[in-house]
C-alpha cells in the first residue's frame, strides 16, 4: 500500500479538552495541532498528566474536543452525531489498551478474536480468514493462534491485540501505552512488529513513556502540560508554533528566564530571545 499522496489519517487544529470536575476544571489539552500522516508510526510522548490519553481518545473518536477541530478518517468529530461517531469507530478505528487483559476475551483463541473483529468491521468471511492468517504471520504469532490469551505471554497478547485492531484495514490504529506492562526485550519485539504493520500501509499512533518506542517512530509529538512542546521528524527536533503564535520553550531554555519575560529580537537569520536588560 502506498503512503504518498494519501490524505492524513487524522488532523487536530487548536484542540482543547477541558474536564469539569468537582475539584475544578482541568485543561488537559490547551490548543493542540497534530497531523497524523497515513501509513506512518506516530508516537505521542510526555510526562504523566501531559494529555497523551486525552489526545488519543480524540484521535480514536472516543471523545470530542471541547473546542478546536479534529478530523479523523476524513470526518470532523465536532459535527458527528453519537451514532455516526460510533459507526466511525467501528469501521475505521482500531484501539489497543495498555493492559493485555483489557484487549482480549479469555474464552476466545487467537483466530476467534480475529474472526470476531473482522465480522464487527463488516469484512466478508473468506477475505477475513485470509487476512487473519497474513496478520498472524506478520506479527509472528501464527503458531500461537489456537491458544487462549491465558496461554500467551504478555508480548504475544499485545501482538494479538494489534492484529485484532488492524484486521479489516482501519484508517487509524490507536494504542495507549501498549508496551507499558512489557519488559524491554518484549517491547522491542512488539515495536518491530508494529513497524512491520506500518510498512504495509497501516497508520499507527501510540502513546508511550518509553524512549525505545519513541525511537521506533517516524514522527514523535511531545506533549507538555497539554500543549505540543516539540515534534521530532527524521531525527530533527522542531518546536511547534500554534495558530496564535505561541511556542513552548524547551525546559533548559525556560530555566534561563526566571521572570518569564523576554525581549524578542529579529535578526537576519532568526529570532533571539533575551532576558530583559
Ligand atoms: P497522560 O495520558 O499524559 O497521563 P491524561 O490525558 O490522562 O494524561 O490527563 C491529562 C490531565 O487531565 C491530567 O491532569 C488528568 O488528571 C486530567 N484528566 C484526565 N481524564 C480526566 C477526567 N475524566 N476527569 C478529570 N480530569 C481528567
Ligand atoms: Mg495516559
Amino acid at each position: 500500500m502506498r503512503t504518498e499522496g494519501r490524505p492524513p489519517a487524522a488532523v487536530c487544529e487548536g484542540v482543547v479538552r477541558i474536564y469539569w470536575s468537582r475539584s475544578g476544571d482541568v485543561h488537559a489539552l490547551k490548543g493542540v495541532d497534530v497531523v497524523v500522516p497515513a501509513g506512518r508510526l506516530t508516537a505521542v510522548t510526555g510526562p504523566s498528566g501531559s494529555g497523551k490519553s486525552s489526545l488519543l481518545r480524540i484521535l480514536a473518536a472516543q471523545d470530542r474536543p471541547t473546542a478546536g477541530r479534529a478530523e479523523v478518517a476524513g470526518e470532523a468529530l465536532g459535527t458527528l452525531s453519537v451514532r455516526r461517531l460510533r459507526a466511525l469507530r467501528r469501521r475505521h478505528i482500531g484501539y489497543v489498551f495498555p493492559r493485555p487483559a483489557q484487549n482480549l476475551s479469555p474464552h476466545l483463541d487467537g483466530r476467534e478474536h480475529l474472526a470476531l473483529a473482522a465480522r464487527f468491521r463488516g469484512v466478508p468471511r473468506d477475505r477475513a480468514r485470509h487476512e487473519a492468517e497474513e496478520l498472524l504471520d506478520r506479527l509472528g504469532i501464527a503458531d500461537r493462534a489456537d491458544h487462549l490469551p491465558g496461554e500467551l505471554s504478555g508480548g504475544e497478547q499485545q501482538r494479538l491485540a494489534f492484529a485484532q485492531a488492524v484486521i479489516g484495514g482501519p484508517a487509524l490504529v490507536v494504542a495507549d501505552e501498549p508496551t507499558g506492562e512489557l519488559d524491554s526485550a518484549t517491547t522491542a519485539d512488539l515495536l518491530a512488529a508494529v513497524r512491520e504493520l506500518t510498512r504495509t500501509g497501516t497508520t499507527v499512533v501510540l502513546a508511550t513513556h518509553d524512549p525505545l518506542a519513541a525511537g521506533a517512530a517516524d514522527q514523535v509529538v511531545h506533549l507538555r502540560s497539554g500543549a505540543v512542546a516539540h515534534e521530532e521528524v527524521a531525527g530533527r527536533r522542531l518546536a511547534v508554533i500554534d495558530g496564535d503564535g505561541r511556542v513552548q520553550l524547551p525546559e533548559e531554555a525556560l530555566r534561563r528566564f526566571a521572570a518569564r519575560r523576554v525581549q524578542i529580537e529579529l535578526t537576519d537569520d532568526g529570532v533571539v530571545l533575551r532576558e530583559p536588560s
Side-chain angles (χ1 to χ4, degrees):
M1 206 185 286
R2 288 176 352 106
T3 55
E4 293 77 25
R6 281 166 70 190
V11 178
C12 291
E13 280 171 10
V15 163
V16 172
R17 181 63 170 101
I18 301 172
Y19 301 107
W20 288 273
S21 71
R22 237 180 289 175
S23 52
D25 302 350
V26 181
H27 293 240
L29 299 173
K30 302 174 186 166
V32 167
D33 297 343
V34 171
V35 175
V36 176
R40 299 285 154 82
L41 174 57
T42 296
V44 178
T45 63
S48 179
S50 58
K52 300 182 296 297
S53 295
S54 300
L55 178 60
L56 259 61
R57 275 197 294 276
I58 288 170
L59 292 174
Q62 292 173 0
D63 192 14
R64 276 189 276 224
T66 309
R69 201 184 131 73
E71 199 182 293
V72 177
E75 302 262 22
L77 299 189
T79 56
L80 288 185
S81 65
V82 170
R83 200 170 59 82
R84 296 213 20 223
L85 206 61
R86 200 187 310 129
L88 174 69
R89 280 200 300 272
R90 184 181 173 131
R91 289 275 168 178
H92 298 297
I93 315 276
Y95 195 80
V96 178
F97 289 96
R99 292 213 318 276
Q102 292 171 289
N103 291 308
L104 304 173
S105 148
H107 308 297
L108 299 179
D109 72 21
R111 285 199 174 81
E112 288 166 341
H113 273 95
L114 298 192
L116 194 67
R119 199 160 72 205
F120 198 63
R121 287 227 171 91
V123 183
R125 197 182 278 191
D126 48 340
R127 213 187 89 208
R129 212 173 294 144
H130 176 76
E131 208 183 321
E133 293 311 315
E134 216 177 272
L135 274 171
L136 289 165
D137 202 38
R138 196 171 311 132
L139 285 160
I141 47 172
D143 57 336
R144 311 292 292 150
D146 294 329
H147 291 265
L148 297 175
E151 299 160 348
L152 302 177
S153 71
E156 288 167 343
Q157 289 181 45
Q158 287 304 67
R159 283 162 191 247
L160 180 57
F162 268 97
Q164 175 178 261
V166 168
I167 200 162
L172 185 61
V173 172
V174 178
D176 197 353
E177 312 227 18
T179 63
E181 298 210 333
L182 305 179
D183 62 40
S184 57
T186 313
T187 293
D189 286 351
L190 180 69
L191 291 172
V194 172
R195 278 234 56 111
E196 187 57 33
L197 293 175
T198 62
R199 256 180 226 119
T200 50
T202 304
T203 307
V204 181
V205 180
L206 57 84
T208 181
H209 266 89
D210 193 329
L212 208 63
D218 297 300
Q219 157 178 282
V220 180
V221 176
H222 187 79
L223 296 180
R224 206 167 86 220
S225 311
V228 180
H230 61 258
E231 273 179 13
E232 277 172 50
V233 182
R236 284 219 309 181
R237 179 182 284 208
L238 302 177
V240 175
I241 305 174
D242 78 9
D244 294 318
R246 282 180 291 243
V247 181
Q248 248 196 33
L249 294 183
E251 304 263 17
E252 52 287 13
L254 190 58
R255 276 197 291 275
R256 300 221 186 158
F257 306 111
R260 296 279 190 276
R261 298 291 182 277
V262 291
Q263 276 183 325
I264 298 177
E265 193 186 310
L266 302 181
T267 66
D268 286 345
D269 61 345
V271 176
V272 180
L273 306 183
R274 289 186 206 288
E275 260 200 289
S277 45

